[in-house]
Every structure is written in C-alpha cells, then in structure tokens.
Amino acid sequence: MDHRQRYRGRPSDTDPRAAVDTIAERLLVADLGNGLPQRSPGRPAAPPLKNRVPGWTGGHHTRGMSPAPVRFYDPGSTACHFSDSVLVRCPRCDGVARFERRTPPEPRVICRSCGLCGPVARCGPPALWLRAGTRHGELWAYNLAHLDLIRRFVAASLRERAPWYEHGRKMTCVARLPAWVKRARNRDEVLRVIDRMRDSVRPG
C-alpha cells in the first residue's frame, strides 16, 4: 500500500486544527491533574472559590446592574371611558356615593351608606370623591379604574404610546396629565397621594 494512502485521513503537522486539538488536550489533562472539573474549550473556566467574585455567573457579572424598567403603554383611554360611573360625595351624608350618568330616565346619585337614590340637583353633579391637593396642584380621578390608570403611568419609568402615524386620539387621559405629575422627581410624592385616595374608598 502506498504511504500516501495510509496517511490520507491524518491531519498534517501544519494543520491549525491539529494545534487547537493539542492545546485542548493539554488543558484537559492539566485540569484533571489539579482536581478541577472538566471544561469545554469554548467556555471560560470557573475561578477558585476563594477568588470568585460575588455575582459571578459563568463569566458575566450581575452586581451593579440596574433593574428592568417598569413599562407602561398608553391604552388610548379618554375621559369618556370613565365618566359613566363616577365616585362622588353624597349630598345627604357626605359619604362616598356613585354618580351614574346613563341611568334612565336621568342621571342619579346612588349612596349605599344612607340609601339615597335619586336624580342630581339642578346645580349639577356632586363633588368628586377622588381628589386631593398637593404642593404642586390638585390630582383627581373619576373612579378607581381611572385612578389605577394614572398610578400605573406615574409608577412606570418607561412610558410608551402609539406612534404618530397610527390612527386614534392623541390627547388621552395620561397625555392630558399636568407636567408635574409626569416628572420623575415627583413620582414618590404622587404615588403616596394616589394610595391615600385609593384607601379612602371603603370596599363594597
């Protein structure tokens, strides 16, 4: 048999793949001799426990990384989505009541505390229940769903809305909020006010 056929499938000494295989075999033998676990050629070896940095996850460090931002996407809700059922102050007992705008034959105030159920006075609907003053201005909401929308908007550090080329209303509820509500430096203060407004509504 010709010697060229005998060594046809064997890589030559100048083949770079042979050099890489030789280095990988030497590293594997060194790891086994030192009592270290076997490592793959494409992954960095784990440092010793006494020299390992806290937060080490296979070559990636998690210490010092900022948490993922809280995202909010504007659903496009307007005041018409929340104005049909409004939480108001009862004109009889001064408690929390509900102003139903579309109850036939005319809008009426329904209060579970004193039992009031009748049309509103000629002077207009009662005062809103969900309203609170701050050092920047007054914050108000029609009902708990409206208040929850405002809270999710204020708590978010990443606020998104539909692009300009999409059809739909641009001046939504959150778009009409005052500038002091949208500022990040007022976030904690506004959230405390919203939580107090929400706690003022007794369940039921």
Side-chain angles (χ1 to χ4, degrees):
M1 180 183 295
D2 190 359
H3 67 278
R4 289 177 296 180
Q5 296 180 357
R6 181 181 304 174
Y7 299 102
R8 179 173 296 177
R10 185 175 179 181
S12 61
D13 296 339
T14 59
D15 192 352
R17 293 176 300 177
V20 173
D21 294 340
T22 304
I23 295 174
E25 292 176 358
R26 291 179 181 177
L27 292 176
L28 177 60
V29 172
D31 290 346
L32 294 178
N34 296 330
L36 297 177
Q38 182 179 357
R39 59 181 176 180
S40 58
R43 184 176 181 182
L49 295 178
K50 61 179 180 180
N51 298 329
R52 187 171 299 180
V53 180
W56 189 87
T57 56
H60 301 280
H61 299 281
T62 58
R63 172 179 289 186
M65 296 180 61
S66 58
V70 180
R71 302 172 68 95
F72 173 85
Y73 186 82
D74 189 358
S77 303
T78 61
C80 299
H81 293 86
F82 306 104
S83 60
D84 291 341
S85 181
V86 183
L87 294 178
V88 297
R89 191 172 298 275
C90 179
R92 178 187 294 178
C93 67
D94 203 33
V96 58
R98 189 175 298 274
F99 174 65
E100 300 293 341
R101 187 181 298 272
R102 297 191 178 186
T103 53
E106 56 184 348
R108 63 182 60 191
V109 177
I110 302 173
C111 179
R112 295 186 178 183
S113 299
C114 64
L116 175 64
C117 182
V120 298
R122 295 182 179 180
C123 59
L128 289 175
W129 180 268
L130 295 174
R131 61 190 309 173
T134 66
R135 61 190 180 97
H136 307 284
E138 187 181 41
L139 184 65
W140 58 271
Y142 284 126
N143 48 41
L144 291 178
H146 187 195
L147 188 66
D148 179 70
L149 177 68
I150 299 176
R151 193 188 192 287
R152 289 189 288 110
F153 173 81
V154 174
S157 56
L158 180 60
R159 300 161 181 171
E160 300 175 338
R161 59 181 305 179
W164 61 270
Y165 52 81
E166 288 192 3
H167 297 284
R169 296 181 177 90
K170 303 303 180 183
M171 296 306 294
T172 60
C173 284
V174 296
R176 292 178 178 272
L177 289 174
W180 58 269
V181 178
K182 302 177 182 180
R183 293 192 180 100
R185 63 185 180 185
N186 300 332
R187 178 178 294 128
D188 295 338
E189 181 181 356
V190 175
L191 289 178
R192 287 194 299 266
V193 173
I194 292 176
D195 291 340
R196 287 198 301 266
M197 295 167 61
R198 183 178 55 185
D199 295 340
S200 65
V201 181
R202 290 175 295 182

PDB file of all heavy atoms in Angstrom, residues 75-76 78 161-172:
ATOM      1  N   PRO A  75     -53.060  52.916  26.724  1.00  0.00           N
ATOM      2  CA  PRO A  75     -54.124  52.200  26.005  1.00  0.00           C
ATOM      3  C   PRO A  75     -55.007  53.111  25.174  1.00  0.00           C
ATOM      4  O   PRO A  75     -55.888  52.631  24.458  1.00  0.00           O
ATOM      5  CB  PRO A  75     -54.920  51.552  27.145  1.00  0.00           C
ATOM      6  CG  PRO A  75     -54.714  52.447  28.313  1.00  0.00           C
ATOM      7  CD  PRO A  75     -53.321  53.002  28.173  1.00  0.00           C
ATOM      8  N   GLY A  76     -54.823  54.419  25.271  1.00  0.00           N
ATOM      9  CA  GLY A  76     -55.634  55.342  24.485  1.00  0.00           C
ATOM     10  C   GLY A  76     -56.961  55.687  25.123  1.00  0.00           C
ATOM     11  O   GLY A  76     -57.873  56.149  24.423  1.00  0.00           O
ATOM     12  N   THR A  78     -59.750  57.744  27.098  1.00  0.00           N
ATOM     13  CA  THR A  78     -60.088  59.150  27.282  1.00  0.00           C
ATOM     14  C   THR A  78     -61.048  59.277  28.448  1.00  0.00           C
ATOM     15  O   THR A  78     -61.421  58.286  29.089  1.00  0.00           O
ATOM     16  CB  THR A  78     -60.713  59.726  26.003  1.00  0.00           C
ATOM     17  OG1 THR A  78     -61.912  59.001  25.699  1.00  0.00           O
ATOM     18  CG2 THR A  78     -59.753  59.597  24.826  1.00  0.00           C
ATOM     19  N   ARG A 161     -46.327  55.040  23.974  1.00  0.00           N
ATOM     20  CA  ARG A 161     -47.628  55.350  23.390  1.00  0.00           C
ATOM     21  C   ARG A 161     -47.608  54.991  21.916  1.00  0.00           C
ATOM     22  O   ARG A 161     -46.553  54.704  21.345  1.00  0.00           O
ATOM     23  CB  ARG A 161     -47.971  56.831  23.580  1.00  0.00           C
ATOM     24  CG  ARG A 161     -46.993  57.780  22.979  1.00  0.00           C
ATOM     25  CD  ARG A 161     -47.386  59.221  23.238  1.00  0.00           C
ATOM     26  NE  ARG A 161     -48.725  59.511  22.799  1.00  0.00           N
ATOM     27  CZ  ARG A 161     -49.313  60.701  22.939  1.00  0.00           C
ATOM     28  NH1 ARG A 161     -48.682  61.673  23.565  1.00  0.00           N
ATOM     29  NH2 ARG A 161     -50.521  60.906  22.492  1.00  0.00           N
ATOM     30  N   ALA A 162     -48.782  55.002  21.302  1.00  0.00           N
ATOM     31  CA  ALA A 162     -48.874  54.656  19.894  1.00  0.00           C
ATOM     32  C   ALA A 162     -48.097  55.668  19.057  1.00  0.00           C
ATOM     33  O   ALA A 162     -48.058  56.854  19.377  1.00  0.00           O
ATOM     34  CB  ALA A 162     -50.338  54.624  19.462  1.00  0.00           C
ATOM     35  N   PRO A 163     -47.436  55.217  17.996  1.00  0.00           N
ATOM     36  CA  PRO A 163     -46.683  56.152  17.148  1.00  0.00           C
ATOM     37  C   PRO A 163     -47.598  57.160  16.475  1.00  0.00           C
ATOM     38  O   PRO A 163     -48.811  56.973  16.364  1.00  0.00           O
ATOM     39  CB  PRO A 163     -45.995  55.222  16.143  1.00  0.00           C
ATOM     40  CG  PRO A 163     -46.788  53.956  16.166  1.00  0.00           C
ATOM     41  CD  PRO A 163     -47.338  53.821  17.536  1.00  0.00           C
ATOM     42  N   TRP A 164     -47.011  58.218  15.993  1.00  0.00           N
ATOM     43  CA  TRP A 164     -47.779  59.338  15.448  1.00  0.00           C
ATOM     44  C   TRP A 164     -48.562  58.960  14.194  1.00  0.00           C
ATOM     45  O   TRP A 164     -49.601  59.554  13.911  1.00  0.00           O
ATOM     46  CB  TRP A 164     -46.838  60.499  15.114  1.00  0.00           C
ATOM     47  CG  TRP A 164     -45.808  60.155  14.076  1.00  0.00           C
ATOM     48  CD1 TRP A 164     -44.571  59.648  14.282  1.00  0.00           C
ATOM     49  CD2 TRP A 164     -45.948  60.293  12.658  1.00  0.00           C
ATOM     50  NE1 TRP A 164     -43.906  59.454  13.101  1.00  0.00           N
ATOM     51  CE2 TRP A 164     -44.727  59.849  12.073  1.00  0.00           C
ATOM     52  CE3 TRP A 164     -46.958  60.746  11.818  1.00  0.00           C
ATOM     53  CZ2 TRP A 164     -44.523  59.838  10.707  1.00  0.00           C
ATOM     54  CZ3 TRP A 164     -46.750  60.741  10.453  1.00  0.00           C
ATOM     55  CH2 TRP A 164     -45.550  60.296   9.899  1.00  0.00           C
ATOM     56  N   TYR A 165     -48.084  57.944  13.458  1.00  0.00           N
ATOM     57  CA  TYR A 165     -48.740  57.623  12.189  1.00  0.00           C
ATOM     58  C   TYR A 165     -49.947  56.705  12.371  1.00  0.00           C
ATOM     59  O   TYR A 165     -50.662  56.438  11.414  1.00  0.00           O
ATOM     60  CB  TYR A 165     -47.742  56.979  11.222  1.00  0.00           C
ATOM     61  CG  TYR A 165     -46.988  55.796  11.797  1.00  0.00           C
ATOM     62  CD1 TYR A 165     -47.556  54.535  11.844  1.00  0.00           C
ATOM     63  CD2 TYR A 165     -45.699  55.956  12.296  1.00  0.00           C
ATOM     64  CE1 TYR A 165     -46.864  53.461  12.371  1.00  0.00           C
ATOM     65  CE2 TYR A 165     -44.999  54.892  12.814  1.00  0.00           C
ATOM     66  CZ  TYR A 165     -45.581  53.654  12.850  1.00  0.00           C
ATOM     67  OH  TYR A 165     -44.891  52.588  13.383  1.00  0.00           O
ATOM     68  N   GLU A 166     -50.190  56.209  13.569  1.00  0.00           N
ATOM     69  CA  GLU A 166     -51.364  55.372  13.804  1.00  0.00           C
ATOM     70  C   GLU A 166     -52.578  56.245  14.077  1.00  0.00           C
ATOM     71  O   GLU A 166     -52.487  57.311  14.693  1.00  0.00           O
ATOM     72  CB  GLU A 166     -51.117  54.420  14.972  1.00  0.00           C
ATOM     73  CG  GLU A 166     -50.156  53.293  14.657  1.00  0.00           C
ATOM     74  CD  GLU A 166     -50.162  52.220  15.725  1.00  0.00           C
ATOM     75  OE1 GLU A 166     -50.956  52.341  16.668  1.00  0.00           O
ATOM     76  OE2 GLU A 166     -49.362  51.278  15.602  1.00  0.00           O
ATOM     77  N   HIS A 167     -53.736  55.751  13.637  1.00  0.00           N
ATOM     78  CA  HIS A 167     -54.970  56.491  13.834  1.00  0.00           C
ATOM     79  C   HIS A 167     -55.431  56.340  15.288  1.00  0.00           C
ATOM     80  O   HIS A 167     -55.145  55.358  15.951  1.00  0.00           O
ATOM     81  CB  HIS A 167     -56.057  55.984  12.884  1.00  0.00           C
ATOM     82  CG  HIS A 167     -55.715  56.189  11.438  1.00  0.00           C
ATOM     83  ND1 HIS A 167     -55.800  57.408  10.819  1.00  0.00           N
ATOM     84  CD2 HIS A 167     -55.268  55.318  10.489  1.00  0.00           C
ATOM     85  CE1 HIS A 167     -55.437  57.302   9.557  1.00  0.00           C
ATOM     86  NE2 HIS A 167     -55.105  56.036   9.324  1.00  0.00           N
ATOM     87  N   GLY A 168     -56.159  57.319  15.737  1.00  0.00           N
ATOM     88  CA  GLY A 168     -56.669  57.286  17.107  1.00  0.00           C
ATOM     89  C   GLY A 168     -56.441  58.621  17.792  1.00  0.00           C
ATOM     90  O   GLY A 168     -55.762  59.520  17.276  1.00  0.00           O
ATOM     91  N   ARG A 169     -57.020  58.759  18.963  1.00  0.00           N
ATOM     92  CA  ARG A 169     -56.881  60.009  19.710  1.00  0.00           C
ATOM     93  C   ARG A 169     -55.475  60.119  20.293  1.00  0.00           C
ATOM     94  O   ARG A 169     -54.944  59.180  20.863  1.00  0.00           O
ATOM     95  CB  ARG A 169     -57.930  60.057  20.824  1.00  0.00           C
ATOM     96  CG  ARG A 169     -59.369  60.093  20.323  1.00  0.00           C
ATOM     97  CD  ARG A 169     -60.337  60.171  21.485  1.00  0.00           C
ATOM     98  NE  ARG A 169     -61.711  60.289  21.043  1.00  0.00           N
ATOM     99  CZ  ARG A 169     -62.509  59.243  20.819  1.00  0.00           C
ATOM    100  NH1 ARG A 169     -62.037  58.033  21.018  1.00  0.00           N
ATOM    101  NH2 ARG A 169     -63.739  59.416  20.410  1.00  0.00           N
ATOM    102  N   LYS A 170     -54.918  61.278  20.169  1.00  0.00           N
ATOM    103  CA  LYS A 170     -53.585  61.533  20.692  1.00  0.00           C
ATOM    104  C   LYS A 170     -53.635  62.116  22.102  1.00  0.00           C
ATOM    105  O   LYS A 170     -52.767  61.831  22.923  1.00  0.00           O
ATOM    106  CB  LYS A 170     -52.827  62.482  19.756  1.00  0.00           C
ATOM    107  CG  LYS A 170     -52.729  61.975  18.321  1.00  0.00           C
ATOM    108  CD  LYS A 170     -52.064  60.614  18.232  1.00  0.00           C
ATOM    109  CE  LYS A 170     -51.970  60.143  16.794  1.00  0.00           C
ATOM    110  NZ  LYS A 170     -51.378  58.788  16.683  1.00  0.00           N
ATOM    111  N   MET A 171     -54.634  62.954  22.384  1.00  0.00           N
ATOM    112  CA  MET A 171     -54.748  63.561  23.706  1.00  0.00           C
ATOM    113  C   MET A 171     -55.566  62.645  24.610  1.00  0.00           C
ATOM    114  O   MET A 171     -56.762  62.832  24.821  1.00  0.00           O
ATOM    115  CB  MET A 171     -55.375  64.945  23.607  1.00  0.00           C
ATOM    116  CG  MET A 171     -54.532  65.934  22.829  1.00  0.00           C
ATOM    117  SD  MET A 171     -52.841  66.065  23.474  1.00  0.00           S
ATOM    118  CE  MET A 171     -53.178  66.770  25.081  1.00  0.00           C
ATOM    119  N   THR A 172     -54.927  61.607  25.129  1.00  0.00           N
ATOM    120  CA  THR A 172     -55.574  60.652  26.007  1.00  0.00           C
ATOM    121  C   THR A 172     -55.557  61.171  27.445  1.00  0.00           C
ATOM    122  O   THR A 172     -55.100  62.292  27.719  1.00  0.00           O
ATOM    123  CB  THR A 172     -54.871  59.299  25.915  1.00  0.00           C
ATOM    124  OG1 THR A 172     -53.501  59.467  26.310  1.00  0.00           O
ATOM    125  CG2 THR A 172     -54.899  58.767  24.488  1.00  0.00           C
TER     126      THR A 172
END
